[in-house]
Amino acid sequence: GDQVEQSPSALSLHEGTGSALRCNFTTTMRAVQWFQQNSRGSLINLFYLASGTKENGRLKSTFNSKESYSTLHIRDAQLEDSGTYFCAAEGSNYQLIWGSGTKLIIKP
Amino acid sequence: GALVYQYPRRTICKSGTSMRMECQAVGFQATSVAWYRQSPQKTFELIALSTVNSAIKYEQNFTQEKFPISHPNLSFSSMTVLNAYLEDRGLYLCGAGQSQNTLYFGAGTRLSVL
């Protein structure tokens, strides 16, 4: 069935640096969402993309449906960015297909 | 691999009635199960976190009287929305894992209320 491969599974960054997370899809997806799971367990919606690129503060996300991937870039990482990040792709039947998550640790 | 199935995928209930949704974990032990509801802002709010053999912890604004949860074993959990009204509409998500920090998510149950 449809699958989402998310990488890396874990990432450690020093404050002020940046990196990128990636989700690859095995089939064409309608849209992708990126979430941050915070320390309280809530899933905070960061981006919803049907195509192209969106930017919000220090975060930028791209969704390339043709090449079946999406990325989430974090720059100038801050301590409060720590948490687990998930991508969730919207399949052809509008169901959410989740990536396995990236545990992000920001070090002072 | 680890899979989480939620059913039904979509359901409609009449205002004032109740609706039960289920979450099945396959390929791993679901020691922890978290139930979420998607807000109008698209964020998923945590309703409650259940750990097998421990009390279920409800978040503020959610109660056992309204959202009773059952987590009888390491592969299954259910949640009921009692006396559903319009404000209970939305997508309900189950996340299951061996700990609350490692959750696998289902595709969600979409609830419509007439």
Side-chain angles (χ1 to χ4, degrees):
Chain A
D2 295 347
Q3 284 200 7
V4 174
E5 296 169 357
Q6 184 172 345
S7 62
S9 57
L11 181 62
S12 181
L13 295 175
H14 284 288
E15 265 187 303
T17 64
S19 189
L21 314 181
R22 184 178 175 109
C23 283
N24 292 324
F25 315 121
T26 56
T27 59
T28 301
M29 301 295 181
R30 289 179 179 273
V32 67
Q33 301 188 57
W34 284 92
F35 295 91
Q36 179 196 21
Q37 185 182 34
N38 66 13
S39 57
R40 294 200 57 204
S42 290
L43 288 170
I44 301 164
N45 186 278
L46 301 173
F47 293 104
Y48 178 92
L49 291 141
S51 66
T53 298
K54 285 187 180 179
E55 196 162 351
N56 184 4
R58 296 177 290 101
L59 299 177
K60 182 170 74 172
S61 182
T62 295
F63 174 43
N64 187 322
S65 58
K66 202 181 261 189
E67 296 185 19
S68 297
Y69 75 88
S70 177
T71 57
L72 175 69
H73 289 260
I74 300 173
R75 63 176 174 83
D76 187 25
Q78 303 298 306
L79 292 175
E80 61 264 27
D81 295 331
S82 291
T84 303
Y85 289 76
F86 291 93
C87 67
E90 206 171 271
S92 56
N93 58 358
Y94 295 96
Q95 299 293 330
L96 285 179
I97 307 160
W98 291 81
S100 53
T102 297
K103 286 190 175 56
L104 176 63
I105 296 172
I106 308 299
K107 297 178 179 176
Chain B
L3 294 170
V4 174
Y5 294 102
Q6 284 188 254
Y7 36 90
R9 291 289 181 89
R10 293 175 180 272
T11 187
I12 303 171
C13 67
K14 287 186 180 178
S15 186
T17 64
S18 299
M19 187 274 150
R20 181 171 178 260
M21 54 190 76
E22 299 182 346
C23 178
Q24 182 85 39
V26 177
F28 66 99
Q29 292 186 326
T31 307
S32 294
V33 173
W35 286 93
Y36 295 83
R37 180 172 70 185
Q38 191 171 37
S39 70
Q41 294 76 29
K42 301 299 184 186
T43 292
F44 283 96
E45 299 171 280
L46 181 62
I47 297 172
L49 179 67
S50 171
T51 305
V52 167
N53 298 326
S54 294
I56 298 170
K57 184 169 176 279
Y58 284 83
E59 293 294 299
Q60 198 173 9
N61 302 326
F62 297 98
T63 65
Q64 183 181 5
E65 290 70 33
K66 174 71 176 176
F67 299 98
I69 289 169
S70 170
H71 187 185
N73 56 52
L74 292 172
S75 62
F76 181 82
S77 178
S78 66
M79 183 177 76
T80 302
V81 180
L82 293 177
N83 298 318
Y85 289 100
L86 287 176
E87 58 265 27
D88 296 317
R89 291 174 303 175
L91 184 66
Y92 289 82
L93 190 69
C94 162
Q98 292 182 304
S99 74
Q100 66 179 91
N101 297 316
T102 309
L103 296 178
Y104 301 97
F105 293 96
T109 293
R110 188 166 295 282
L111 174 64
S112 300
V113 181
L114 301 178

